Amino acid sequence: MAESSAGRAFIGSFTTAGGRGVTVAAVDALTGALTPLGATGALPNPSFLALSADATVLYAVGESEHGTAAAFDVTGDTPVLLGEPVPVDGAAPTHLALAAGHLVTANYTSGSVTTLPVGPDGRPGPAAYVLKHHGSGPHPKRQSGPHAHQVLPDPSGRWLLSVDLGTDSVRVCALDPATGVLRPHGETALRPGTGPRHLAFHPDGRHAYVLNELEPTLVVCRWDAAAGTLEPLGETRVIHDGVTTETFPSEVVVGRDGRFLWVANRGHDSIATLALDPDGEHAVLVATVDCGGRWPRHLTLGPSGRRLYAANERSGDVTWFDLYEESGIPRRVGSVPASAASCVVFG
């Protein structure tokens, strides 16, 4: 079950909680083990990362009240900041993605989405456009206003989706590559009070799975790229009935063959395996296993798609798991210390 190539990993963390910032790590081709090579704390709280297509530039949000985004040259063993961090004109950016020549951030506290043009040298420029979300939800503490938690392009590249925990909805926009303007196209309402956090697409490009944070459930959706519409089909629990531990799911990952998906559960501190039917329209909880630490904030597949990595924020480590081919259930095989770990990406 070796990874296809050694490659490198990039770990984001909360510097205000003792994290090193952005860490570069080597990936062992046989075991999947991560070996830290170098780190930089030049950007406070780089909690989420995204890599350029050629894996030479790494982008990060600076999750703070006056949110920023930054680019790093990662051709060496230590990340090098490319220019000064750029304000996103929003508060507490928690996620970012590259789309149509722009870096796009989801700003949690301000409930907005920002586009920043990316220059030829890979550096993000000043904010081109800020789209403010509106609305609220029934949760008294978490949904008094909008909270954009994730932004990502759909597989066709025609649309940009933003998941909003505060408004219990997913917005679909068109991004103008020339101006960076976001044009709202539609909004899908989800069950009130569920607090959607993140979304992942099926490899077929016709289905998507929205993970809720305020309730431990997953919404199976049909995605129509031609129309730019997201249609909820059903909801599935990501922890077993009878579990009383307060649980806040954080991340959903879909297998590359579309047979399984995995969810990181904070509080319950587990990784859930769900089996998908051949059409991708039904998800069934198979098992949960210990995440190998505490408070798994992020979950991702390794380069070959046959290994999972969990960034455990409160125990300060990144843990990796082999995946059983028939059942999809993860088996823990190792970990590396990473204080206040929040995100792992591979290049």
Side-chain angles (χ1 to χ4, degrees):
M1 297 184 54
E3 297 291 332
S4 58
S5 62
R8 293 191 301 167
F10 305 94
I11 304 169
S13 63
F14 288 97
T15 56
T16 53
R20 300 180 68 191
V22 177
T23 299
V24 178
V27 184
D28 187 281
L30 180 63
T31 66
L34 304 184
T35 301
L37 301 173
T40 179
L43 177 70
N45 293 339
S47 64
F48 204 88
L49 311 174
L51 197 61
S52 65
D54 63 2
T56 62
V57 179
L58 184 75
Y59 298 92
V61 296
E63 188 174 338
S64 59
E65 181 181 357
H66 302 290
T68 59
F72 296 87
D73 180 329
V74 288
T75 55
D77 289 346
T78 300
V80 177
L81 193 63
L82 293 173
E84 291 297 315
V86 179
V88 300
D89 297 344
T94 59
H95 195 271
L96 80 171
L98 291 161
H102 288 76
L103 187 65
V104 190
T105 68
N107 311 314
Y108 180 83
T109 301
S110 56
S112 60
V113 173
T114 302
T115 63
L116 306 100
V118 175
D121 60 358
R123 301 185 189 192
Y129 192 77
V130 178
L131 178 66
K132 184 74 171 70
H133 291 183
H134 298 280
S136 60
H139 193 288
K141 294 183 179 179
R142 300 292 306 279
Q143 294 184 315
S144 60
H147 293 300
H149 214 307
Q150 182 198 34
V151 60
L152 76 167
D154 85 303
S156 76
R158 295 182 58 186
W159 308 102
L160 195 76
L161 285 76
S162 56
V163 183
D164 196 304
L165 183 148
T167 63
D168 292 314
S169 64
V170 178
R171 289 170 172 81
V172 179
C173 293
L175 171 57
D176 186 328
T179 65
V181 171
L182 287 167
R183 296 188 174 90
H185 174 75
E187 183 175 357
T188 298
L190 301 176
R191 185 163 61 83
T194 53
R197 177 184 173 95
H198 277 195
L199 175 155
F201 284 97
H202 191 282
D204 67 8
R206 299 190 302 273
H207 297 88
Y209 308 92
V210 181
L211 182 65
N212 295 319
E213 177 177 336
L214 301 184
E215 289 192 16
T217 59
L218 179 90
V219 184
V220 179
C221 301
R222 186 178 293 124
W223 169 247
D224 185 334
T229 56
L230 188 70
E231 176 192 359
L233 301 176
E235 199 170 329
T236 302
R237 284 178 60 82
V238 296
I239 56 174
H240 291 289
D241 292 338
V243 172
T244 58
T245 304
E246 196 171 22
T247 300
F248 303 93
S250 62
E251 187 62 281
V252 53
V253 178
V254 182
R256 294 176 186 169
D257 61 7
R259 295 190 303 136
F260 301 102
L261 65 77
W262 300 274
V263 166
N265 288 315
R266 295 169 299 174
H268 192 243
D269 291 341
S270 65
I271 298 173
T273 301
L274 287 83
L276 299 172
D277 72 342
D279 294 329
E281 297 199 344
H282 296 89
V284 177
L285 179 60
V286 175
T288 60
V289 301
D290 192 283
C291 71
R294 290 188 297 112
W295 211 252
R297 185 179 178 88
H298 187 242
L299 189 67
T300 192
L301 287 168
S304 73
R306 298 191 297 269
R307 184 171 284 123
L308 276 175
Y309 291 77
N312 298 313
E313 181 184 350
R314 294 186 180 175
S315 56
D317 52 67
V318 173
T319 305
W320 51 93
F321 303 77
D322 285 342
L323 297 170
Y324 287 108
E325 185 174 356
E326 292 303 316
S327 67
I329 296 173
R331 178 177 64 88
R332 183 181 181 278
V333 292
S335 67
V336 65
S339 295
S342 58
C343 179
V344 183
V345 300
F346 289 88

